[in-house]
């Protein structure tokens, strides 16, 4: 017995293929809305790779800070975060994407950025 796709004419097969691709794209976009890590992987897959666990931890920490889930020992959420990582490890790049992600979650959110470097600032 022939499968459903085998019985479709070429135009219908193409439409079905486009529909499946659109569903996958929407699923990826929804994951990126819910997760900073997925958002970063979507926008810069060459840099945010699954084997770079420190970047995933960094993204998860920023997301937890944003949602008030990064807690001190007394159970209160942290309001600030200091990040110390070696040069060229994605600190600024990730923070830039974090700002874009936060504004995608709530475009009324107010963000101030600062840098020690006058070129970056």
């Amino acid at each position: 017995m022939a499968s459903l796709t085998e019985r479709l004419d070429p135009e219908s097969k193409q439409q079905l293929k486009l529909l499946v691709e659109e569903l996958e794209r929407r699923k990826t976009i929804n994951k990126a809305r819910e997760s900073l890590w997925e958002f970063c992987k979507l926008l810069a897959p060459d840099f945010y790779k699954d084997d770079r666990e420190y970047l995933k931890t960094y993204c998860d920490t920023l997301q937890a800070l944003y949602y008030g889930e990064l807690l001190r020992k007394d159970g209160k959420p942290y309001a600030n975060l200091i990040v110390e990582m070696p040069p060229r490890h994605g600190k600024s790049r990730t923070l830039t994407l974090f700002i874009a992600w936060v504004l995608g979650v709530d475009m009324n959110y107010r963000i101030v950025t600062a840098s020690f470097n006058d070129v970056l600032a």
Side-chain angles (χ1 to χ4, degrees):
M1 178 174 223
S3 70
L4 176 63
T5 54
E6 291 173 348
R7 290 183 273 162
L8 295 175
D9 60 87
E11 184 178 333
S12 296
K13 284 182 182 180
Q14 181 62 22
Q15 288 177 345
L16 181 61
K17 180 183 174 198
L18 291 173
L19 180 61
V20 169
E21 289 172 357
E22 177 65 16
L23 288 172
E24 287 300 317
R25 187 181 70 78
R26 288 183 185 198
K27 189 165 88 172
T28 301
I29 290 171
N30 286 336
K31 283 171 50 177
R33 285 185 177 137
E34 295 173 6
S35 165
L36 175 60
W37 173 245
E38 294 297 330
F39 181 76
C40 291
K41 286 189 347 181
L42 179 64
L43 294 183
D46 58 315
F47 189 75
Y48 294 92
K49 298 177 181 179
D50 288 325
D51 64 341
R52 295 183 177 170
E53 294 180 28
Y54 70 95
L55 284 173
K56 179 161 182 6
T57 300
Y58 185 30
C59 287
D60 291 347
T61 301
L62 289 171
Q63 184 170 336
L65 180 72
Y66 173 72
Y67 283 121
E69 297 168 348
L70 189 61
L71 304 177
R72 301 185 316 200
K73 289 180 181 179
D74 64 2
K76 294 181 183 176
Y78 282 101
N80 301 305
L81 179 68
I82 296 174
V83 177
E84 293 182 19
M85 289 190 327
R88 313 284 305 159
H89 273 65
K91 295 179 300 293
S92 298
R93 185 177 196 173
T94 303
L95 279 175
T96 300
L97 291 174
F98 174 65
I99 291 168
W101 180 79
V102 166
L103 292 175
V105 173
D106 181 0
M107 64 186 262
N108 295 313
Y109 206 80
R110 298 175 67 186
I111 298 173
V112 176
T113 60
S115 175
F116 76 95
N117 182 321
D118 63 337
V119 174
L120 285 175

